Amino acid sequence: SVALHWAFLEVQRAQAAQRREAEARVLAGEAELRALKAQINPHFLYNSLNSISALTGVEPLRARQMCLQLSEFLRSTLGLSAEERVPLSKEIELLRRYLEIEKTRFGSRLAIEEEIADDCLSDQVPALLLQPLAENAIVHGISAIVEGGVLRVAARHGGDLKLIVVMENSIDEDASLPVKEGFGLSSIKKRLQTAYGPHATLSINAAGSLFRAELVLPVGEKHS
């Protein structure tokens, strides 16, 4: 009887220790996600303010328009900063606000194309996921081309309950320097690893005058 009671207590203690360890891992993962997300807006803000500063002396009206658009964009991100997952439709809306700012900056040098399947819009994705992906495409791709280029965004469902989001952008195929994996791509990879483990991927490929980034995310149940 005593031995059985002692064994029962040991099992309870072991289970409690396992629960505490699992909770610690979850909390650590959530803290890392918050830290990674917190880096996004300051980095984007720094680039945007540099652009506004450059326009102020030569095109003050465009600089003022960018200030107003930047204010609206940052206001939109405030509600998302506390959310872990949001519908893809919200991410697309936020992406459009960001691209409006860059369209003001680049004018006709930036062409934007969308191909978003309607049945993807309700899928839950990590908040603030697409904007840094687009920022990488523009800062490290289109901005380096004198005549500008095209940024294309597509989303569809793949097999095995997967959401596939593709972002393609023009690059200078004659550039001597390789295309950089900027802050946007590295931060996304870290966030996906923390949030989904092996269940989500970001793959990149540069060929000729096109750079392609492909996100594959699980749909439905939350993975960790």
Side-chain angles (χ1 to χ4, degrees):
S1 172
V2 171
L4 287 174
H5 181 67
W6 178 83
F8 176 73
L9 291 177
E10 284 300 309
V11 170
Q12 281 191 320
R13 278 194 287 269
Q15 290 176 339
Q18 289 176 345
R19 283 196 300 271
R20 287 194 297 270
E21 183 180 352
E23 289 171 358
R25 285 197 300 268
V26 170
L27 291 174
E30 290 176 349
E32 184 177 355
L33 283 173
R34 285 194 297 269
L36 288 168
K37 194 187 299 182
Q39 296 174 30
I40 293 172
N41 273 349
H43 184 272
F44 159 71
L45 185 58
Y46 174 80
N47 287 337
S48 296
L49 291 177
N50 273 347
S51 299
I52 291 171
S53 176
L55 284 174
T56 300
V58 291
E59 298 188 64
L61 291 179
R62 284 177 64 192
R64 181 177 183 275
Q65 183 179 354
M66 277 192 71
C67 285
L68 295 174
Q69 290 171 324
L70 178 60
S71 173
E72 186 62 31
F73 174 84
L74 293 177
R75 186 180 297 113
S76 299
T77 65
L78 289 178
L80 298 181
S81 60
E83 297 186 51
E84 181 182 355
R85 307 280 169 85
V86 297
L88 179 63
S89 58
K90 273 193 175 183
E91 275 294 291
I92 295 296
E93 180 183 348
L94 192 67
L95 176 64
R96 288 170 180 160
R97 289 184 183 276
Y98 165 71
L99 292 176
E100 283 176 2
I101 297 173
E102 295 293 21
K103 188 71 175 173
T104 300
R105 174 186 171 194
F106 286 94
S108 60
R109 291 180 59 215
L110 175 61
I112 301 164
E113 299 177 358
E114 283 188 14
E115 191 176 334
I116 312 295
D118 290 340
D119 61 350
C120 297
L121 293 175
S122 60
D123 291 347
Q124 296 290 309
V125 300
L128 304 177
L129 184 70
L130 299 185
Q131 180 271 322
L133 196 62
E135 185 177 2
N136 186 86
I138 292 174
V139 172
H140 298 295
I142 295 173
S143 66
I145 307 173
V146 174
E147 66 274 17
V150 179
L151 187 148
R152 175 178 172 271
V153 185
R156 62 179 176 82
H157 283 141
D160 299 325
L161 294 177
K162 297 290 186 180
L163 170 65
I164 301 173
V165 180
V166 174
M167 195 169 294
E168 296 176 332
N169 62 273
S170 305
I171 56 175
D172 184 358
E173 60 182 323
D174 297 324
S176 57
L177 295 176
V179 176
K180 296 180 180 179
E181 180 176 313
F183 171 85
L185 296 184
S186 61
S187 68
I188 288 173
K189 285 184 175 180
K190 291 176 183 176
R191 291 182 65 195
L192 292 180
Q193 177 62 35
T194 304
Y196 297 101
H199 303 290
T201 59
L202 170 62
S203 58
I204 59 175
N205 178 58
S209 60
L210 189 68
F211 183 86
R212 175 186 174 94
E214 181 177 285
L215 282 166
V216 179
L217 306 175
V219 178
E221 294 184 7
K222 177 180 174 181
H223 292 75
S224 59

